[in-house]
Amino acid sequence: MNCIKSDILQAIATHPTIIIHRHIHPDFDAVCSQIALKKTLQQSFPEKNIFAVGCDAENLEWIGSMDVIQDHEYRDALVIVCDTAEMKRISDQRFQLGATLVKIDHHSDGENYGDLTCVDPSYSSVCEMLADLFFSYPESFNLTIEAAAALYAGIMGDTGMLKNGMAGERTMRVVSQIKKFSFKPERIHRLMKKNGTDLSKWKQLVAYRAQVTEQGIASLRVTKEMLENLGLDSYEAAPLIHALVAYKPARIWVLFIEEDGKIRVRIRSKTAPVNEIAKKFGGGGHKLAAGALLSSWEEADQVVEDLGEKRMR
């Protein structure tokens, strides 16, 4: 993290009320990080008022439900925003009413906001970040079975069940620690498939639209018009990278999504480092999973070309 873990603990210790937010159109990591943090803090600091807020997501209610609170609860409160790169995407804009704002995120291309900003793209997910925090301070954080299950589901969601290149050695170590708690991983896998990780719905789109170069670079371009036809926004289309990896044999996979005059790119790889290419275009990320924000489709062509040249070297 680019903030010290003890800073988060200090912020938690000094506020009587803690309100946890995440982004709109939530995915597993967003909701799971909220619920895991809420349950852990409730168990660890029973004297505090702990809330998780935001719009409901019906397909994720099995993870945990959101609280409905009044404006006065924000007075003197610590607000923690999980897994949200930009303020405009925070679900429930009352986050601004709190006394102290903390951002915990693993996206490298977001907005710098908050009194305390903890952003580290070396983590697969915010759930991994939180698990690492909890295990680093066992004397302060009492992790419950329910919280451990949520952390597990969030990590599984952002790593494509540990198969999309986001999971590193630390991820596997954290997962191993989490699985010591007596929840049932197979139940979580079943519920995740039922409620959002079934990639088969994207199979036809990937089959018809994706292209694979001679160098083994598979790419899929999702235009603004395609988003409208699919009824998605650019963030909701992000899981397409998992479908691309699942259904297009290649060495490197690249997803381009058009948004607000820019092109967001997500890159995944089996073995070849791709973060240096992402950095070349103003982005960054993990060795085998990176991203950037491009200015044009011409730059998208260049990304594919550069990745191909990297494979040939």
Side-chain angles (χ1 to χ4, degrees):
M1 300 183 188
N2 64 353
C3 68
I4 301 172
K5 292 176 183 177
S6 59
D7 291 342
I8 301 177
L9 181 57
Q10 178 66 20
I12 291 170
T14 54
H15 290 78
T17 298
I18 301 170
I19 304 173
I20 308 162
H21 288 246
R22 41 80 179 157
H23 59 76
I24 58 175
H25 308 305
D27 57 4
F28 285 103
D29 189 35
V31 173
C32 289
S33 59
Q34 266 189 305
I35 296 301
L37 184 55
K38 174 186 172 180
K39 296 299 182 182
T40 300
L41 294 182
Q42 285 178 329
Q43 185 71 16
S44 308
F45 304 92
E47 75 283 2
K48 296 182 182 293
N49 300 310
I50 314 293
F51 304 104
V53 302
C55 55
D56 287 323
E58 291 184 7
N59 64 323
L60 300 178
E61 286 184 347
W62 60 272
I63 298 169
S65 58
M66 296 295 106
D67 298 307
V68 178
I69 63 175
Q70 302 299 314
D71 291 357
H72 69 83
E73 298 286 1
Y74 284 86
R75 189 178 306 120
D76 300 323
L78 170 66
V79 176
I80 301 176
V81 181
C82 296
D83 195 43
T84 310
E86 301 170 335
M87 286 191 292
K88 67 180 182 181
R89 300 198 69 248
I90 299 175
S91 184
D92 194 335
Q93 288 285 303
R94 291 182 299 170
F95 75 92
Q96 302 174 78
L97 301 177
T100 304
L101 179 62
V102 175
K103 174 186 180 181
I104 303 179
D105 194 19
H106 69 120
H107 300 100
S108 61
D109 53 355
E111 177 183 2
N112 185 22
Y113 66 84
D115 301 297
L116 181 60
T117 300
C118 296
V119 178
D120 192 336
S122 73
Y123 285 85
S124 70
S125 55
V126 171
C127 280
E128 184 186 334
M129 294 176 74
L130 291 176
D132 194 30
L133 173 66
F134 298 154
F135 292 137
S136 295
Y137 292 92
E139 71 283 358
S140 298
F141 296 110
N142 189 355
L143 192 61
T144 66
I145 294 174
E146 190 176 5
L151 291 171
Y152 180 82
I155 293 172
M156 292 300 106
D158 260 22
T159 63
M161 299 296 184
L162 304 178
K163 296 178 181 179
N164 68 2
M166 291 290 287
E169 291 183 8
R170 178 179 55 211
T171 311
M172 305 308 292
R173 183 174 67 251
V174 166
V175 168
S176 178
Q177 289 177 282
I178 292 172
K179 290 178 73 174
K180 292 178 181 178
F181 291 79
S182 57
F183 64 92
K184 297 180 178 179
E186 63 276 7
R187 175 179 178 271
I188 291 176
H189 295 169
R190 185 173 65 253
L191 288 168
M192 291 183 73
K193 184 174 182 180
K194 179 181 177 181
N195 295 281
T197 56
D198 183 1
L199 303 177
S200 62
K201 62 183 177 180
W202 304 116
K203 186 174 183 179
Q204 187 174 14
L205 176 64
V206 169
Y208 282 98
R209 295 279 187 171
Q211 298 179 336
V212 183
T213 69
E214 293 181 358
Q215 293 78 31
I217 314 300
S219 63
L220 177 65
R221 301 185 179 212
V222 181
T223 65
K224 185 177 181 181
E225 181 181 4
M226 288 173 64
L227 287 174
E228 292 173 354
N229 291 337
L230 292 168
L232 303 174
D233 66 23
S234 60
Y235 286 89
E236 291 171 311
L240 270 167
I241 187 65
H242 305 320
L244 186 62
V245 173
Y247 296 118
K248 273 294 178 184
R251 296 181 181 275
I252 295 175
W253 297 266
V254 190
L255 174 67
F256 299 103
I257 303 176
E258 186 176 17
E259 59 172 39
D260 300 326
K262 299 287 186 178
I263 311 295
R264 189 172 296 277
V265 54
R266 297 174 183 272
I267 311 170
R268 300 291 183 268
S269 172
K270 278 186 176 180
T271 57
V274 294
N275 53 338
E276 290 301 321
I277 298 296
K279 287 179 182 179
K280 177 180 176 180
F281 292 89
H286 311 262
K287 179 180 178 181
L288 303 180
L293 193 62
L294 311 178
S295 299
S296 66
W297 288 112
E298 287 73 23
E299 278 196 330
D301 293 335
Q302 190 63 52
V303 168
V304 173
E305 183 178 335
D306 288 358
L307 288 169
E309 289 179 355
K310 185 177 184 62
R311 286 299 308 166
M312 296 298 288
R313 288 198 293 269

